[in-house]
Amino acid sequence: MNVELLKQQAQAKVALIRVVTSQDKDFLDIHQNIIIANHPELAMTTYCLPEQYDGIHDEQTLALAVPKLLALGLELQKSYDILLISCASDPAVKQLRQLLSIPVVGAGQSCCEQALTFSHSVGAIGIEPRAPAIFYEVLHDRLRTYRQPKGVNCTHDIHSEAGKAAIIEAVLACEKDGAKVVALACTGMATTDVAALVAPYTSIPVVNPVLAAGLAVRKLLNS
């Protein structure tokens, strides 16, 4: 790669928004660290929404998050070149794309688009009874099946041993339903390496929405 081009790309500053509230910087930075491990040239800073302690997991928490995302996005565009919403529901992404002068990447759309590079028979797992709307918008009838792991109702449930076992069961159920690739419809699952988790039981590809969003950012910089 041209050294000057790489230098220019490294100067691009990316703001990543987590939709779960935390004062634990190590926890908040997990998504940015996952991306930087694969794209070390990116300059990335993580922010989180106030008073969203359980993240976004239903219509009520989504409605609360949207105005916060719009306000934070408007502020961050002053200092950053790209905004990444690290939530597979892509909350407020469409509105932000209309409001902001910088590109906005949604983890949900990125995840769906990467899943289609593996197969047009996609399964998805997430923390709500239905897949996020963006999954239906991008995948249409290529979303063959969706599963909510038993007992996994918010981001905190993902990291328990029972939650991990339920995630394995849900991925295998998607495969049984005919899916050839599984897309994770929750960025909280990115912090549990689901691909490694299910590897002893199946070889089906698992698309991590955080990694997919990082790849989408790189594509923007290369375009």
Side-chain angles (χ1 to χ4, degrees):
M1 176 178 287
N2 182 283
V3 174
E4 189 58 36
L5 177 60
L6 183 59
K7 193 181 295 183
Q8 291 171 5
Q9 291 171 349
Q11 292 170 352
K13 294 186 295 182
V14 182
L16 183 152
I17 299 180
R18 300 276 316 263
V19 298
V20 60
T21 304
S22 177
Q23 283 72 49
D24 183 342
K25 188 175 186 304
D26 290 337
F27 168 75
L28 288 177
D29 284 350
I30 288 174
H31 289 190
Q32 99 172 24
N33 291 340
I34 288 172
I35 293 172
I36 290 173
N38 288 269
H39 306 288
E41 72 282 0
L42 294 179
M44 189 170 285
T45 307
T46 295
Y47 297 83
C48 73
L49 298 183
E51 299 181 9
Q52 295 275 156
Y53 294 99
D54 292 323
I56 294 175
H57 57 88
D58 55 22
E59 290 298 323
Q60 182 179 3
T61 50
L62 173 62
L64 289 170
V66 167
K68 300 173 190 177
L69 283 162
L70 297 178
L72 184 54
L74 284 166
E75 186 63 28
L76 291 175
Q77 74 171 338
K78 301 172 186 176
S79 305
Y80 292 90
D81 303 300
I82 296 174
L83 180 64
L84 192 168
I85 307 300
S86 196
C87 175
S89 296
D90 283 4
V93 166
K94 290 179 182 177
Q95 297 99 309
L96 285 164
R97 284 175 176 162
Q98 293 178 336
L99 282 174
L100 305 191
S101 58
I102 62 173
V104 180
V105 171
Q109 180 180 347
S110 302
C111 187
C112 293
E113 290 175 350
Q114 188 176 345
L116 290 173
T117 67
F118 288 96
S119 173
H120 281 199
S121 183
V122 182
I125 65 171
I127 60 174
E128 298 184 54
R130 281 175 54 82
I134 189 66
F135 276 62
Y136 297 101
E137 290 173 23
V138 175
L139 297 173
H140 303 287
D141 59 355
R142 294 168 295 189
L143 181 60
R144 180 175 290 269
T145 184
Y146 173 79
R147 297 279 181 154
Q148 179 183 8
K150 186 177 180 181
V152 176
N153 301 297
C154 75
T155 186
H156 303 300
D157 298 329
I158 293 163
H159 308 292
S160 68
E161 291 307 310
K164 291 176 183 177
I167 287 169
I168 294 170
E169 184 179 343
V171 170
L172 296 178
C174 285
E175 185 176 32
K176 189 175 180 181
D177 289 341
K180 303 300 183 186
V181 57
V182 170
L184 303 181
C186 172
T187 53
M189 291 181 180
T191 56
T192 293
D193 189 343
V194 176
L197 196 65
V198 303
Y201 309 97
T202 177
S203 60
I204 193 169
V206 176
V207 178
N208 181 319
V210 173
L211 286 173
L215 185 60
V217 169
R218 287 296 300 121
K219 287 179 178 177
L220 271 176
L221 295 175
N222 287 335
S223 61

